[in-house]
Amino acid sequence: MEYLLSIVIFFPALASVFVFIMDNNVAKPYGITIGLIELILVAALWMGFDYSNAGMQFENTFALIPDYGINYHVGIDGISLFLLVLNAFIIFLATIYLNQPNDKNYLVVCLLLLESILMGVFASLNVVLFYIFWEISLIPILYMIGAWGTGEKIYAALKFFLYTFFASLIMFIGILYFGYLYFITMGSWSFDILDWYHLALPFNIQLWLFLAFFISIAVKIPIFPFHTWLPHAYGDAPTLGSVVLASVLLKMGTYALVRFSLPLFPDASYALVVPIAILALFMIIYGGMLAFAQTDMKQVVAYSSISHMGVAVIGIFALNLEGIGGSVFAMVGHGIVSGALFMLVGMIYHRRKTRQIAEFGGLAQVMPNFAAVFAIVMMANVGLPLTVGFVGEFFSLLGFFKAHPLITLIAGTSIIISAIYMLNLYKKVFLGKAPNAKNLLLNDLCAREISVMLPFVFVIIFLGIYPKPLLTPIQNSTQQLLETMHNRAIKKETKIYLKNPPPPLEVIPHTSQSPKPIKEV
């Protein structure tokens, strides 16, 4: 069990090497097998996870460039654990869904490489290591869009790459400067996040560094007005590209906010709550309005993602247990729901070679199973109680309501807005009369498609009814995060976000180094 996390990180990448020497017809079964093994390994992580320990577990450390504090240091807590589970779950189902007639080899390689990279993103505790994984995640998705996309796929791929790459360079400057501040304060170099937690920065430095991180994160989520790459990337990407983008890659940004921005810059985080909440409101309302105005089913789901991630951002900046814990749960829930929606849109596109809403109608008569599955996933996207989409958004809004009731009431309209555009989509596509005779000849879900969608439906309903297996470890680690913020805040007035500090933890989190006192720069 000591090196299980490292095996989880690198196993898919190592396995992908053998795909290059395989026949095209063998690549998919091999990808499914590797995806299943990885899912079992991640399940073993989950089963071996100590729910009573809010700190890092399954840690592995060895030096890479010790003179400058750049090490291979990985570990997971309740916040990152379920993002690993989500990643393994989505990639496994993506390999089953794969129906690319040609070049299966390269698409399987992209999926497995991306799985490894994202595992590294969510498990890295050394900031330089995190940044390396963060940047190289662009390469597989860039290739997927450019090679197998539709429409202006090259433009969409390059726009996605340039936006995220150059924004990430700003974060890299912030990382280097923070490392330099640690060096001049502590006398040694370190880029370990657990070491950085022992350094308290003045407010003005916190503010600039927060913005350096935030610009890169805002592009990745994406937060308004850094969202303009998303419609092109989602619309022109192949189905599996859209699935991975929405389900897992978007969570890199919100995860980075929770793991890095809040605990490293607590004073700046509190000072910017209202401005960021306003940006999140734009995401919720503007994204929902754009979703309603779309004529392409895929674009409806794409803009829907912007709207729902706005709720997750609201939850993060509630800066309390309910809000942050609910936001992490919402990341997992949105990943499941958005992945299912994009796969469903891909299934209908594969049959009709069009995603235009006007081309459809009356599909419930000829594809009743497809219509039933779409209805369940749609209700989860709306946030219907007893579905996975409800739990995270409810706690996110509840947490923010405690500090800013008015903003929360406006953000709560996301439920109404999402209901409007999703029910409108369902009505036009599945009800009424078919405007085209081709719709009457469509086949219902095949065995492969049913095997992909049943796990989505099961998880959507199960976690909506019984979310405790996820909420308990998430809340324990969120308490630890809030304790870290509370201890590192310099300005007394900024500690208002802990009016009711969480109770002391029973288990002291293990770190690879002995505890150090917090020092101010």
Side-chain angles (χ1 to χ4, degrees):
M1 296 290 285
E2 182 180 358
Y3 296 102
L4 181 57
L5 179 58
S6 293
I7 294 172
V8 165
I9 294 172
F10 293 107
F11 172 70
L14 294 175
S16 69
V17 175
F18 298 98
V19 181
F20 288 102
I21 60 174
M22 291 180 178
D23 184 79
N24 189 53
N25 295 325
V26 181
K28 177 177 177 176
Y30 178 78
I32 294 173
T33 303
I34 298 302
L36 177 59
I37 295 173
E38 179 74 352
L39 185 60
I40 293 171
L41 291 172
V42 173
L45 272 180
W46 189 355
M47 293 178 65
F49 190 83
D50 183 2
Y51 279 34
S52 64
N53 184 355
M56 294 297 168
Q57 303 179 39
F58 300 99
E59 286 187 77
N60 296 147
T61 306
F62 63 84
L64 296 176
I65 310 177
D67 290 343
Y68 290 96
I70 300 174
N71 305 315
Y72 172 82
H73 184 192
V74 295
I76 57 172
D77 61 0
I79 293 172
S80 51
L81 169 63
F82 297 109
L83 294 174
L84 268 64
V85 175
L86 173 67
N87 185 24
F89 179 76
I90 292 296
I91 297 297
F92 171 60
L93 293 182
T95 56
I96 298 176
Y97 175 87
L98 175 63
N99 60 354
Q100 192 75 23
N102 301 312
D103 298 328
K104 285 190 179 74
N105 297 53
Y106 301 115
L107 192 51
V108 169
V109 169
C110 286
L111 288 173
L112 295 180
L113 282 176
L114 198 55
E115 183 172 25
S116 268
I117 293 167
L118 292 170
M119 293 296 184
V121 168
F122 298 132
S124 294
L125 298 179
N126 186 279
V127 186
V128 173
L129 182 68
F130 166 82
Y131 181 78
I132 292 172
F133 282 120
W134 175 280
E135 283 292 73
I136 62 176
S137 67
L138 299 176
I139 299 173
I141 198 67
L142 174 71
Y143 187 72
M144 290 176 71
I145 298 173
W148 297 288
T150 58
E152 298 180 335
K153 57 185 181 180
I154 303 300
Y155 171 78
L158 288 177
K159 186 170 185 178
F160 164 73
F161 179 82
L162 292 175
Y163 261 63
T164 51
F165 178 76
F166 284 109
S168 297
L169 290 179
I170 301 174
M171 181 171 71
F172 185 58
I173 294 172
I175 290 172
L176 294 178
Y177 185 62
F178 202 119
Y180 172 72
L181 291 177
Y182 186 91
F183 171 74
I184 63 175
T185 305
M186 299 295 193
S188 62
W189 288 95
S190 177
F191 288 93
D192 194 298
I193 186 67
L194 301 182
D195 286 341
W196 281 13
Y197 286 169
H198 299 291
L199 192 65
L201 302 177
F203 176 75
N204 60 328
I205 296 178
Q206 282 192 40
L207 187 61
W208 284 108
L209 287 175
F210 179 95
L211 292 175
F213 277 72
F214 182 75
I215 290 173
S216 177
I217 291 168
V219 171
K220 189 74 74 174
I221 289 176
I223 292 177
F224 176 90
F226 303 99
H227 68 287
T228 55
W229 62 266
L230 184 141
H232 300 282
Y234 277 45
D236 296 329
T239 297
L240 293 184
S242 300
V243 168
V244 175
L245 272 169
S247 295
V248 193
L249 258 74
L250 292 192
K251 311 310 175 288
M252 291 168 59
T254 46
Y255 171 77
L257 281 176
V258 175
R259 177 67 71 214
F260 298 100
S261 296
L262 298 191
L264 292 178
F265 318 114
D267 300 289
S269 297
Y270 176 74
L272 295 174
V273 164
V274 173
I276 292 176
I278 292 173
L279 292 179
L281 288 181
F282 273 101
M283 294 173 65
I284 294 168
I285 299 173
Y286 180 63
M289 293 174 64
L290 288 176
F292 180 76
Q294 299 307 305
T295 59
D296 185 319
M297 283 191 286
K298 202 173 187 181
Q299 295 288 13
V300 174
V301 182
Y303 281 110
S304 170
S305 292
I306 296 178
S307 183
H308 287 290
M309 292 310 292
V311 178
V313 172
I314 284 278
I316 291 171
F317 282 89
L319 301 177
N320 55 37
L321 183 62
E322 295 86 354
I324 298 175
S327 179
V328 175
F329 191 96
M331 296 179 207
V332 178
H334 176 265
I336 294 167
V337 174
S338 61
L341 281 173
F342 275 116
M343 283 189 181
L344 288 167
V345 172
M347 290 172 188
I348 198 67
Y349 177 76
H350 179 71
R351 287 164 167 78
R352 281 292 318 275
K353 304 302 179 185
T354 181
R355 298 187 299 263
Q356 292 299 310
I357 298 173
E359 289 291 321
F360 298 98
L363 290 189
Q365 302 173 23
V366 293
M367 302 177 68
N369 295 332
F370 181 82
V373 172
F374 198 100
I376 294 172
V377 180
M378 174 193 68
M379 291 303 177
N381 194 52
V382 170
L384 186 74
L386 302 182
T387 67
V388 71
F390 172 78
V391 180
E393 293 195 5
F394 173 79
F395 280 110
S396 297
L397 295 173
L398 175 64
F400 204 80
F401 183 82
K402 292 185 174 182
H404 301 279
L406 180 59
I407 295 178
T408 308
L409 290 175
I410 300 174
T413 59
S414 64
I415 299 173
I416 301 173
I417 295 173
S418 59
I420 291 173
Y421 61 73
M422 289 305 298
L423 290 174
N424 178 67
L425 173 65
Y426 194 85
K427 174 187 174 183
K428 291 182 176 180
V429 173
F430 293 96
L431 305 181
K433 296 182 179 180
N436 193 314
K438 294 180 180 179
N439 293 346
L440 302 176
L441 304 176
L442 297 179
N443 297 320
D444 208 346
L445 295 177
C446 64
R448 174 181 61 85
E449 293 167 337
I450 292 174
S451 67
V452 171
M453 297 314 302
L454 279 181
F456 278 115
V457 172
F458 173 78
V459 173
I460 285 171
I461 296 174
F462 178 79
L463 290 181
I465 297 173
Y466 187 63
K468 186 178 179 180
L470 272 65
L471 283 179
T472 299
I474 288 173
Q475 288 178 342
N476 289 343
S477 294
T478 301
Q479 284 186 345
Q480 177 76 3
L481 177 78
L482 290 170
E483 286 279 0
T484 301
M485 293 182 66
H486 177 71
N487 293 333
R488 298 189 67 255
I490 296 174
K491 291 186 175 184
K492 293 182 180 179
E493 61 267 28
T494 64
K495 295 184 182 180
I496 190 171
Y497 52 73
L498 281 176
K499 291 178 181 178
N500 298 307
L505 299 174
E506 297 179 0
V507 181
I508 299 175
H510 166 75
T511 61
S512 58
Q513 301 181 14
S514 58
K516 301 177 183 179
I518 294 178
K519 292 187 178 181
E520 296 185 13
V521 175

